[in-house]
Amino acid sequence: MFAVMMLAARMPVWHALLAALVVGTAVPTVLYPHLEPYQQKRLTIFLNPYEDPRGAGYQVIQSTIAVGSGGLQGKGYKQGSQSHNGFLPEAHTDFAVSTWLEEQGFVGGVVVLLLYGGLFWGLAGMAGEAPRLQDQVLFAGILGQIGFQVLENVGAALSVLPLTGITLPLISYGLSSLVSTLSTLGLAYIVHRDRYEGRI
C-alpha cells in the first residue's frame, strides 16, 4: 500500500526501485532470522508443501486439491468434497477462494476476478477524477491495500505465495474484515463525492 501511495505521489521510479531493493535485501537477511521456526516454515513451505504434508504443508496441499478438483465448471454449490468434508482447514476464512473454486470451478473464479477488476477500475477512475494530489494518493493507497489482499489470498490458495492468513476482501467470513473493507470503501466514496468542496 505504501509503495503504491509513493508512486501516486509522483515519487521518481528509481527511488521506488531503490526502496524495493533495500526491502528485498533486508527481509531475508534481517527479518527472517528473527522469526520463530514455525513462522519461517510457513514462509517457505509453499515452495515444497510435500516436505511436511501432515504439518505445515497440509493446508496448502488441501487447498490445491480443492482448486484442482473444481475443474472448469465446479462441483456445484455445497458439493465440494475437500471443503465440506473437513479436509480443507479454515474453508470459510483463509481458504474461502479455494471453497469457491472447488464449487464453481474456473468459470466462477474468473467471475470473481472480473468483479474485483471492476472494483479496482472504479477506484482508479475515482483517483483520476480527484483534483487534489492528496486525494489521488488516498485512492492509490486504498487500491493498493485491497489489491494486495486479493493477490496474497488467491496466491496463497494456489500455492504460489506464502500463506499469511490475510482474508479475501468482501468474501471471507469475518466481521472485522468486512467492517474494515467497507469502511475503507466508504471513505473512498466520501472523498470522491466531496472532491470539489473547498476549492476556489
Side-chain angles (χ1 to χ4, degrees), residues 5 9 18 33 39 60 63 65 76 119 148:
M5 292 174 74
L18 181 62
Q39 293 173 322
V60 176
S63 175
I65 291 173
L119 175 62
F148 177 77

Side-chain angles (χ1 to χ4, degrees), residues 58-80:
Y58 179 79
Q59 292 178 311
V60 176
I61 292 171
Q62 295 303 320
S63 175
T64 53
I65 291 173
V67 171
S69 66
L72 183 63
Q73 296 181 332
K75 297 179 176 179
Y77 181 63
K78 289 191 175 182
Q79 300 300 313

